[in-house]
Amino acid sequence: MGTVVDDAASVEFRAFFERHYAELARLAHLLTGEADAADDLAADALLALWHRWDRVRAADRPAAYARGVVANLARTRIRGAVRERRRIALFWSRGEERTDGPDVAGVVDVQEALRRLPFRKRACVVLRHAFDLSEKDTALALGVSVGTVKSQTSKGMAELQRLLGPRHGPRRVRAAMAAGGGESGGRDR
């Protein structure tokens, strides 16, 4: 059972919701350009406002505060979409590389060794050496720091050399990946 204060807050929030929901959804639509996301963003903003309703209703301009929450949520959504598009572009913008007369046994060996690497090491090695991405582009694609890319690539290459022997280096990985269509398969860890 709620208290009189809780009931008054609920009634006040409901009135605020009914008065401002359409405006907040319209704002979200104009900021993101996505009609289907506008309702979700407005609802998420109002949920956040409800959790802080005591502070919001004490504000000088609660509607302005609500518009700020919608703007921040829209900015976060747009940034996420931009990051996702960049990641996709990094993977799909590369032309397919082929080598003449690949060493099929070497390709099989390298791909099998890659499958044995944990996912992050494998992804770093493949993006750096098979797709020839920079450390920065690899970090962006995987959503990790450049330092993580450096350490995971180094550890991954050391593990590949241990698995394949010292004669297999980055050039061998590039050639094997180009010949194998860029697929490393295997389990994700």
Side-chain angles (χ1 to χ4, degrees):
M1 233 184 223
T3 65
V4 175
V5 175
D6 289 342
D7 290 340
S10 294
V11 168
E12 190 178 9
F13 180 77
R14 182 178 179 89
F16 181 86
F17 179 95
E18 290 173 0
R19 196 168 46 249
H20 296 286
Y21 178 78
E23 171 196 347
L24 296 175
R26 189 171 70 245
L27 174 63
H29 178 232
L30 291 171
L31 291 174
T32 63
E34 300 176 19
D36 56 338
D39 286 331
D40 291 342
L41 286 173
D44 289 346
L46 285 162
L47 179 61
L49 292 173
W50 172 245
H51 288 297
R52 297 183 208 100
W53 186 242
D54 287 338
R55 190 175 347 153
V56 174
R57 73 181 185 179
D60 291 335
R61 297 183 344 234
Y65 186 86
R67 287 190 289 274
V69 172
V70 169
N72 286 333
L73 289 172
R75 180 178 22 251
T76 300
R77 182 178 184 87
I78 290 166
R79 284 180 178 164
V82 168
R83 276 193 301 272
E84 186 63 26
R85 283 188 209 119
R86 284 181 183 156
R87 287 180 187 144
I88 290 169
L90 284 172
F91 285 113
W92 293 108
S93 67
R94 301 282 177 194
E96 197 170 310
E97 298 176 19
R98 291 282 175 195
T99 58
D100 294 328
D103 176 6
V104 176
V107 170
V108 171
D109 289 346
V110 170
Q111 287 184 339
E112 180 57 36
L114 281 169
R115 284 185 190 100
R116 295 177 65 186
L117 293 179
F119 176 77
R120 187 172 286 173
K121 287 179 188 172
R122 181 179 353 134
C124 287
V125 168
V126 169
L127 290 173
R128 290 284 293 126
H129 295 291
F131 287 88
D132 215 19
L133 292 184
S134 69
E135 290 167 342
K136 183 179 176 184
D137 288 342
T138 301
L140 181 64
L142 297 176
V144 299
S145 71
V146 172
T148 299
V149 170
K150 289 178 180 182
S151 69
Q152 292 296 296
T153 303
S154 175
K155 290 174 184 177
M157 288 304 293
E159 200 166 327
L160 282 176
Q161 285 184 338
R162 186 183 56 76
L163 291 168
L164 295 169
R167 63 188 175 91
H168 293 79
R171 249 184 251 144
R172 186 71 170 227
V173 172
R174 269 193 212 104
M177 291 304 297
E183 298 174 18
S184 61
R187 63 182 185 265
D188 293 343
R189 282 196 239 171

